[in-house]
Amino acid sequence: MPVLSAVGLESKLSLYISSMGKTPQQILANAWDGEGFASFLDRSPELCQMLLQHTLNHYSYPVIHYFHNNDPKMAIAPGVVLLDETHKLLRYAVSESVAKDELKMEMLQTTLFTFLKMLKGNFIEKRELEELVPLPSLENLSAKGIPLEEKDKVKNAFNLKLKEHRKKLTSLLEMDGWSWRNIYP
């Protein structure tokens, strides 16, 4: 019974994330109020709580890693990558002039890091990746009027600073049967 409850939380978390938008850009565009992203960041404590509980469930019931959902909206791997990429776009692509709740940003970062660390230690294998990590498009965000950093600065952040991190995300997606096309269609 506890294992089924843990799998249910996994699906709930994934559905919660995917209900905010189909892509990281759409999540940010939906959250943009003309001044900031309060509607996204105000959800971060609840997201953190669910993701931390899911991470702890992995330690208690490692078998839940082998439960898979065929619907990307209900699958944990695309959900976590969608959330992580949204966080990274907010951190590195949205202009520093836009106010961001740093505490909530840090909480989300720590929670995502903790989840990926658990997977890396227990489930993500070192292997040759099949897919190149795409650079996120900023066109939709710009069209929405969201102040952005210079394209070269964003490109450097995603291609250099986040390179190893995004390789882990690629591995997570591929090992669960998904790809970056599920994040950036």
Side-chain angles (χ1 to χ4, degrees):
M1 197 64 170
V3 172
L4 293 177
S5 179
V7 172
L9 174 66
E10 176 180 288
S11 296
K12 178 182 174 182
L13 172 60
S14 302
L15 189 56
Y16 189 84
I17 294 167
S18 66
S19 71
M20 292 186 286
K22 294 179 183 178
T23 66
Q25 296 94 328
Q26 189 178 51
I27 290 173
L28 290 180
N30 290 343
W32 176 246
D33 63 9
E35 295 179 12
F37 300 90
S39 65
F40 172 72
L41 291 172
D42 288 348
R43 292 180 180 166
S44 64
E46 186 175 2
L47 286 165
C48 289
Q49 180 190 19
M50 285 192 287
L51 186 54
L52 285 173
Q53 184 60 56
H54 177 64
T55 303
L56 293 174
N57 286 344
H58 261 277
Y59 286 116
S60 298
Y61 316 107
V63 71
I64 66 172
H65 181 73
Y66 301 102
F67 284 78
H68 294 276
N69 199 312
N70 292 333
D71 183 350
K73 292 179 184 175
M74 304 275 289
I76 195 66
V80 168
V81 174
L82 182 62
L83 182 61
D84 192 278
E85 285 287 294
T86 302
H87 177 268
K88 296 306 183 276
L89 277 173
L90 189 52
R91 170 77 69 208
Y92 296 104
V94 173
S95 173
E96 291 180 11
S97 67
V98 175
K100 301 166 195 153
D101 186 326
E102 287 302 320
L103 176 60
K104 290 176 182 172
M105 290 286 290
E106 188 61 33
M107 286 172 52
L108 193 52
Q109 174 63 47
T110 300
T111 303
L112 288 162
F113 175 78
T114 301
F115 176 75
L116 290 171
K117 183 178 174 186
M118 177 274 304
L119 286 181
K120 183 181 177 199
N122 297 310
F123 299 104
I124 293 180
E125 303 166 1
K126 288 189 176 191
R127 61 194 188 109
E128 202 60 38
L129 300 176
E130 297 172 15
E131 186 177 20
L132 294 175
V133 183
L135 185 64
S137 169
L138 303 178
E139 292 173 18
N140 294 350
L141 300 176
S142 181
K144 186 79 174 180
I146 298 171
L148 301 171
E149 294 290 344
E150 294 178 19
K151 287 184 182 184
D152 286 342
K153 187 175 180 181
V154 176
K155 184 177 180 180
N156 285 338
F158 277 83
N159 286 340
L160 300 175
K161 187 173 189 172
L162 299 172
K163 183 178 181 177
E164 291 304 313
H165 177 77
R166 295 179 90 221
K167 280 183 179 179
K168 290 177 203 168
L169 297 178
T170 303
S171 185
L172 170 63
L173 287 169
E174 288 180 357
M175 289 185 69
D176 209 41
W178 305 101
S179 76
W180 281 101
R181 287 183 301 279
N182 296 102
I183 310 305
Y184 298 113

